[in-house]
């Protein structure tokens, strides 16, 4: 369960996708936004966490550097702690599985449900991905529909951004 605390916000910029906003609690990454609206992101993070949100680029420096390196193909994974306390147990379980999808690989919502021992839960997997508070760090872009096609990505550019991330990783679409 989350408790009131200070949440620090800063940006990875410039990136090929524009500024990427990151929010960190003392326990780890809380949220990532690909939308170029710092005020809206701060408000979203405050509502999600109940904490005091402070702009502090220094506090998010390592996370921003890792995001830049990832998007510039200089790293394939993140070694940042994740603060799972702001998610439901079900969402955290699903997103931990999504986080484990290897760089350059893809799977389907159904594959994840099956891996979790819940073969009928593909829609729940889709909902957890749709509300993923940390896109890219938790790579929901690597999850495809049962038809092998791209479905749902709420970042700027939508499915084209999802496709770009997959191409960056060398994961060509069928």
């Amino acid at each position: 369960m989350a408790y009131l605390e200070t949440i620090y916000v800063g940006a990875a910029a410039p990136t090929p996708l524009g500024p990427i906003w990151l929010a960190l609690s003392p326990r780890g990454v809380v949220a990532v936004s690909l939308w170029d609206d710092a005020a809206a992101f701060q408000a979203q993070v405050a509502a999600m966490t109940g904490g005091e949100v402070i702009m502090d680029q220094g506090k998010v420096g390592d996370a921003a550097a890792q995001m830049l390196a990832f998007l510039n193909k200089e790293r394939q994974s993140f070694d940042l702690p994740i603060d799972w306390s702001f998610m439901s147990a079900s969402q955290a379980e699903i997103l931990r599985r999504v986080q484990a999808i290897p760089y350059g690989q893809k799977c389907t919502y159904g594959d994840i449900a099956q891996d979790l021992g819940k073969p009928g839960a593909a829609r729940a997997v889709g909902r957890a991905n749709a509300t993923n508070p940390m896109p890219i760090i938790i790579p929901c872009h690597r999850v495809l529909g049962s038809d092998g096609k791209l479905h749902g990505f709420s970042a700027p550019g939508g499915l084209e951004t999802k496709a770009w991330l997959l191409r960056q990783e060398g994961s060509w679409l069928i």
Side-chain angles (χ1 to χ4, degrees):
M1 178 100 179
Y3 55 91
L4 295 180
E5 60 195 350
T6 302
I7 307 294
Y8 299 100
V9 171
T15 80
L17 299 174
I20 296 180
W21 293 95
L22 302 117
L24 283 76
S25 76
R27 290 180 307 280
V29 180
V30 171
V32 172
S33 176
L34 282 69
W35 293 95
D36 188 13
D37 188 339
F41 182 58
Q42 284 180 283
Q44 171 193 349
V45 170
M48 181 177 84
T49 65
E52 178 184 13
V53 179
I54 297 174
M55 291 292 281
D56 188 331
Q57 190 63 35
K59 296 280 188 180
V60 301
D62 184 46
Q66 286 192 38
M67 181 65 72
L68 288 167
F70 180 84
L71 293 172
N72 289 317
K73 296 180 156 184
E74 297 165 0
R75 71 179 303 132
Q76 295 185 352
S77 63
F78 296 90
D79 61 4
L80 301 166
I82 302 291
D83 185 344
W84 302 96
S85 67
F86 299 102
M87 296 181 208
S88 70
S90 174
Q91 183 183 31
E93 176 186 34
I94 291 165
L95 292 182
R96 284 177 193 272
R97 173 58 186 89
V98 172
Q99 185 184 28
I101 302 168
Y103 183 88
Q105 301 296 309
K106 308 176 291 245
C107 67
T108 67
Y109 299 105
D111 293 336
I112 292 170
Q114 186 72 36
D115 289 350
L116 293 171
K118 301 173 184 176
R123 285 180 172 231
V125 171
R127 277 191 304 279
N129 275 284
T131 57
N132 174 9
M134 295 168 238
I136 302 175
I137 291 175
I138 297 177
C140 54
H141 61 276
R142 297 178 188 154
V143 184
L144 308 178
S146 60
D147 58 2
K149 294 182 180 176
L150 301 179
H151 292 271
F153 198 68
S154 61
L159 295 181
E160 181 48 44
T161 299
K162 186 172 185 170
W164 183 88
L165 288 163
L166 289 169
R167 286 191 304 270
Q168 272 295 95
E169 295 183 16
S171 183
W172 302 105
L173 299 174
I174 298 172

